[in-house]
């Protein structure tokens, strides 16, 4: 997935990462640039979707791009909550399931504090299997 991010030219400014060993390992294996701020948070470990959205809303507005590395079913629920529209194929895939290691990329209007359900455009949904 890290190679895919680099190939697309996508690099988050901030990564919000659950404190679980597996999510921290995932953040490391993405091989993100040193300029990316990785924030490890225990509250994301067993977070519900509202907690994740609340945490994203608290990100400094100077960060243009945020990545969240968390756990299912929460990450799937957050992605479904954010969707207002998007590419049909990506919407269909996201609706079916959100496998471990999947990446949902959203475009959002406005600043982080006004993030709300049904405000995102799903640009891409890619699973590890898609990259094989």
């Amino acid at each position: 997935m890290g190679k895919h991010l680099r190939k697309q030219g996508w690099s988050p400014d901030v990564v919000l990462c659950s404190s679980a060993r597996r999510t921290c390992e995932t953040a490391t294996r993405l091989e993100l640039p040193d300029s990316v701020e990785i924030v490890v948070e225990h509250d994301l470990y067993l977070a519900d979707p509202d907690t994740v959205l609340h945490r994203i809303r608290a990100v400094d507005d100077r960060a243009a791009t945020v990545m969240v590395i968390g756990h299912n079913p929460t990450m799937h629920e957050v992605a479904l909550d954010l969707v207002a529209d998007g590419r049909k194929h990506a919407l269909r895939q996201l609706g079916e399931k959100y496998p471990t290691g999947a990446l949902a990329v959203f475009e959002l209007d406005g600043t982080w504090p006004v993030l709300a359900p049904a405000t995102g455009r799903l640009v891409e949904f890619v699973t590890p299997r898609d990259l094989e």
Side-chain angles (χ1 to χ4, degrees):
M1 201 57 71
K3 287 179 187 177
H4 181 72
L5 288 170
R6 287 185 291 284
K7 180 179 175 185
Q8 297 300 318
W10 293 332
S11 179
D13 296 309
V14 175
V15 175
L16 303 176
C17 184
S18 161
S19 61
R21 181 176 45 92
R22 189 168 178 187
T23 53
C24 290
E25 289 172 356
T26 296
T28 300
R29 293 183 72 188
L30 290 173
E31 298 178 355
L32 298 168
D34 291 338
S35 61
V36 176
E37 178 184 6
I38 299 176
V39 182
V40 177
E41 297 190 0
H42 179 71
D43 290 347
L44 292 177
Y45 182 62
L46 295 174
D48 60 27
D50 288 336
T51 299
V52 174
L53 289 175
H54 177 76
R55 181 56 189 95
I56 297 169
R57 287 184 195 110
V59 169
D60 190 304
D61 282 338
R62 290 177 288 188
T65 306
V66 174
M67 174 185 279
V68 180
I69 302 175
H71 308 276
N72 269 331
T74 300
M75 297 313 300
H76 191 195
E77 292 170 10
V78 168
L80 290 172
D81 285 350
L82 286 176
V83 169
D85 65 0
R87 295 184 178 163
K88 293 197 185 312
H89 178 71
L91 290 168
R92 186 175 61 252
Q93 279 187 291
L94 176 63
E96 292 173 4
K97 72 188 252 187
Y98 199 114
T100 299
L103 174 70
V105 179
F106 287 91
E107 288 180 347
L108 306 166
D109 292 327
T111 60
W112 300 121
V114 298
L115 179 66
T119 59
R121 179 179 179 279
L122 184 63
V123 174
E124 181 175 29
F125 183 74
V126 62
T127 68
R129 175 175 261 167
D130 296 332
L131 301 176
E132 294 177 349

